[in-house]
Amino acid sequence: EVQLVESGGGAVQAGGSLRLSCTPSGGTITEVGWYRQAPGGDCGFVASGRFGGGTEYAESVKGRFTVSLENAKNTAYLQMNSLKPEDTAVYYCSTDRLFMGISCPPSFGVWGQGTQVTVSS
């Protein structure tokens, strides 16, 4: 069973940067969706990308976050700059770029274990 392994979360001050990584335990990652869920909130789309295709971003992160996939390392990244306190959440990567659900991760699909991002003011 393929799973995604995430890393790179942490605690930073507002204005800081973090880079999240997402690597499959097996197989090749060719597309990725990034999502986040804050305490008491719904699962929200953050960004998506795929090899040979475009990227998409939630309005709240446009210009600050960048999604990429590095073929040589078989890894997807989410570069997060100019972080704000409202970016605080658990971030998940998935092979599903179009997930729409209240809670993440769901009981289906291929998802990472989640990584905590905390931004202090």
Side-chain angles (χ1 to χ4, degrees):
E1 178 180 327
V2 176
Q3 294 185 341
L4 300 176
V5 180
E6 296 182 50
S7 62
V12 296
Q13 291 190 327
S17 298
L18 286 171
R19 188 177 76 162
L20 306 184
S21 300
C22 176
T23 304
S25 60
T28 303
I29 189 167
T30 58
E31 55 186 4
V32 67
W34 288 95
Y35 303 85
R36 65 187 180 187
Q37 187 158 23
D42 293 345
C43 182
F45 170 80
V46 176
S48 68
R50 55 181 174 171
F51 282 123
T55 55
E56 294 188 8
Y57 298 92
E59 284 296 325
S60 60
V61 307
K62 277 184 179 179
R64 300 188 298 122
F65 290 12
T66 303
V67 61
S68 62
L69 294 95
E70 187 171 347
N71 192 23
K73 294 187 176 181
N74 195 27
T75 298
Y77 300 99
L78 183 67
Q79 177 67 45
M80 305 185 295
N81 299 328
S82 302
L83 282 162
K84 305 175 180 180
E86 51 263 43
D87 294 319
T88 296
V90 177
Y91 284 69
Y92 298 90
C93 64
S94 174
T95 56
D96 187 347
R97 295 183 296 112
L98 303 174
F99 176 74
M100 296 179 67
I102 294 175
S103 181
C104 50
S107 58
F108 53 89
V110 180
W111 289 72
Q113 80 279 13
T115 186
Q116 177 70 48
V117 171
T118 302
V119 185
S120 58
S121 58

